[in-house]
Amino acid sequence: MLPNPDEKLDPRVKRTRGLILRSFEDLLAEKNFETISVQDVTDTAQINRATFYAHFQDKYALLDYSISQMFKQEIEKRTLNACHYTPDNLRNLILAVCEFLGRIHTSCAQPHQQFESLVETQIKQQIFGLLSHWLEQSKSKVPSEIPATVATWAIYGLASLYSHTKKRPALEKFVDEALPLVAVNLEQFA
Amino acid sequence: MLPNPDEKLDPRVKRTRGLILRSFEDLLAEKNFETISVQDVTDTAQINRATFYAHFQDKYALLDYSISQMFKQEIEKRTLNACHYTPDNLRNLILAVCEFLGRIHTSCAQPHQQFESLVETQIKQQIFGLLSHWLEQSKSKVPSEIPATVATWAIYGLASLYSHTKKRPALEKFVDEALPLVAVNLEQFA
DNA sequence: TTGGATGTGTTGACTAAGCAACAAAGGAGA
DNA sequence: TCTCCTTTGTTGCTTAGTCAACACATCCAA
């Protein structure tokens, strides 16, 4: 739906980016983001360090890209990118964000402030883009920026709460309880 | 032991060869060798067809290389490349060849004449090289070419018999019964 | 027989990846 | 403070991989 810019790419580029991404995600599982050097990534990816810089400005850009790719996959898996606003789709989106963030917090070694804030920025950007896309398809011509922003922050906040909870409650139950509070501001787009 | 020519290689070369080999071995598990085209290999390896020809003359050369690499790994796994002639090492070698050939015959789709003969040539070359290496370390200065040849063919023959047997007997028992017939010609090198 | 479809092997021009070397910026410790 | 060491970005040159196009061989069916 949203334009897919990866198809017509030089195979060498696809391969290299894939290697970098895979290595980075593997490394994130063992060490925390701050202690991962570009060297570490290129060593485990078995590519040259200079090649890394041909693709990413630095490791922060890599993190941004990595997070957004993973999240995009999560969304595509649930085909949330090819639909419009309904309470049920919203419910699935909240579920997706909770699970995604939950997975990050269990599979990445001790997340740190900087790491978390970069993740937050990326994910919120994606949620906002998706919601805007949904709302603009509605017959209602109400401007969507403000409702989409409110919903985006609310959703991320819920997922953050969920993923930081030590003993996580049953996800479905959690989402069903929270859903109405988010949906109330979007009813006009249903 | 035998010189290891792969270490100081351009990383791109290692990667490309690895991709080609893996794809080829995967394809061998599904289709028989004759029906695998160079195109098939490069497609699944996600490399350009021209790149294939920069590494291998044709698919027959690839088969040779693939078989010899797999066999070399089998030998290295058992550290048979770093030892000398003893009846026990010989026993392990026979075991290795039987298992290797057995694995090929179960994991590769319907082997054909051409395929089998290419495999045979490669494996015998490797066995012969290894045996020569062993025998030439012996104190006895007896020429080793003839005994090594006899043993090589005998070993391959045994493994071939074993791997073509429908209901394979217990491997250990099979080898213990055959071992003396091969060892008798090598006693002088012990 | 002809023609389309498919595979082979090769070529030359272009582009990405590798490499070694560099300056510069921190960090840790004596 | 000074030095030693590691990491960061960057650069110019070399080499490997990509691409499109080519001529040629098979094969099979119209």
Side-chain angles (χ1 to χ4, degrees):
Chain A
M1 189 90 294
L2 307 169
N4 213 341
D6 12 85
E7 284 319 311
K8 199 68 169 281
L9 225 57
D10 190 307
R12 291 170 290 185
V13 172
K14 274 198 262 185
R15 191 181 311 146
T16 301
R17 290 203 185 147
L19 288 169
I20 293 177
L21 277 190
R22 220 185 330 288
S23 314
F24 180 61
E25 286 160 21
D26 288 352
L27 283 170
L28 269 182
E30 319 172 352
K31 323 171 57 169
N32 71 48
F33 175 68
E34 282 72 16
T35 69
I36 298 175
S37 69
V38 172
Q39 192 80 255
D40 291 335
V41 176
T42 59
D43 283 353
T44 76
Q46 310 200 66
I47 59 152
N48 195 278
R49 200 163 54 87
T51 304
F52 175 92
Y53 288 105
H55 293 271
F56 300 98
Q57 194 166 10
D58 50 34
K59 70 174 186 172
Y60 303 99
L62 171 57
L63 177 61
D64 283 350
Y65 183 73
S66 164
I67 294 296
S68 68
Q69 283 299 106
M70 289 194 286
F71 189 73
K72 188 178 294 184
Q73 279 174 23
E74 183 77 37
I75 293 302
E76 282 168 6
K77 201 179 68 192
R78 300 165 185 253
T79 62
L80 290 172
N81 53 325
C83 62
H84 52 93
Y85 176 73
T86 67
D88 198 54
N89 284 337
L90 178 62
R91 184 173 177 280
N92 280 324
L93 174 58
I94 301 177
L95 272 171
V97 182
C98 287
E99 285 190 2
F100 183 79
L101 229 56
R103 206 175 328 127
I104 286 197
H105 281 124
T106 55
S107 80
C108 294
Q110 325 97 308
H112 218 288
Q113 308 79 356
Q114 190 175 29
F115 175 81
E116 301 235 30
S117 101
L118 288 168
V119 169
E120 178 173 338
T121 305
Q122 274 308 309
I123 302 298
K124 281 194 312 209
Q125 233 168 69
Q126 304 249 348
I127 299 176
F128 181 80
L130 186 57
L131 282 177
S132 301
H133 176 69
W134 282 1
L135 302 188
E136 275 152 22
Q137 288 184 2
S138 154
K139 279 155 300 189
S140 126
K141 290 303 173 213
V142 182
S144 60
E145 192 179 12
I146 291 182
T149 301
V150 172
T152 296
W153 285 74
I155 293 172
Y156 193 89
L158 285 166
S160 174
L161 167 64
Y162 175 77
S163 72
H164 281 94
T165 305
K166 287 275 180 286
K167 295 184 47 143
R168 293 186 194 152
L171 178 53
E172 302 270 339
K173 202 158 174 302
F174 177 77
V175 172
D176 285 332
E177 196 177 329
L179 177 60
L181 314 197
V182 182
V184 64
N185 294 311
L186 302 175
E187 273 164 9
Q188 52 194 322
F189 300 95
Chain B
M1 192 90 290
L2 308 168
N4 212 342
D6 10 86
E7 284 320 311
K8 198 69 168 279
L9 225 58
D10 190 308
R12 292 170 290 185
V13 172
K14 275 197 262 185
R15 190 182 311 147
T16 300
R17 292 205 184 144
L19 287 169
I20 295 177
L21 277 190
R22 219 186 329 288
S23 313
F24 180 62
E25 286 160 21
D26 288 352
L27 284 169
L28 269 183
E30 319 171 351
K31 323 171 59 170
N32 72 49
F33 175 68
E34 282 73 16
T35 68
I36 298 175
S37 69
V38 172
Q39 192 80 253
D40 292 335
V41 176
T42 60
D43 283 353
T44 74
Q46 309 200 69
I47 58 152
N48 195 278
R49 201 163 54 86
T51 305
F52 175 92
Y53 288 105
H55 292 271
F56 299 98
Q57 194 166 11
D58 51 33
K59 70 174 185 171
Y60 304 98
L62 171 57
L63 178 61
D64 283 350
Y65 183 73
S66 164
I67 295 295
S68 68
Q69 283 298 106
M70 289 195 286
F71 189 73
K72 187 177 295 185
Q73 278 174 24
E74 182 77 38
I75 293 302
E76 282 169 4
K77 201 179 67 192
R78 301 166 185 252
T79 61
L80 289 173
N81 53 324
C83 62
H84 52 95
Y85 176 72
T86 67
D88 198 54
N89 285 335
L90 178 63
R91 183 172 178 281
N92 280 324
L93 175 58
I94 301 177
L95 272 171
V97 182
C98 287
E99 285 191 0
F100 183 79
L101 229 57
R103 206 175 327 127
I104 285 196
H105 281 124
T106 55
S107 81
C108 293
Q110 326 96 309
H112 217 289
Q113 308 79 357
Q114 189 174 32
F115 175 81
E116 300 234 31
S117 100
L118 287 168
V119 170
E120 178 173 339
T121 305
Q122 273 309 309
I123 303 297
K124 283 195 310 211
Q125 234 168 70
Q126 304 248 348
I127 300 175
F128 182 80
L130 187 57
L131 283 177
S132 301
H133 177 68
W134 281 0
L135 303 189
E136 275 153 23
Q137 289 183 3
S138 154
K139 277 155 298 187
S140 126
K141 291 300 174 213
V142 181
S144 60
E145 191 180 11
I146 291 181
T149 301
V150 171
T152 295
W153 285 74
I155 293 171
Y156 193 88
L158 285 166
S160 174
L161 167 63
Y162 176 77
S163 73
H164 281 94
T165 304
K166 287 274 180 288
K167 295 184 49 149
R168 292 187 195 151
L171 178 52
E172 301 270 339
K173 202 158 173 304
F174 178 78
V175 173
D176 285 332
E177 196 175 330
L179 177 60
L181 315 196
V182 183
V184 64
N185 293 310
L186 302 175
E187 272 164 10
Q188 53 195 321
F189 300 95

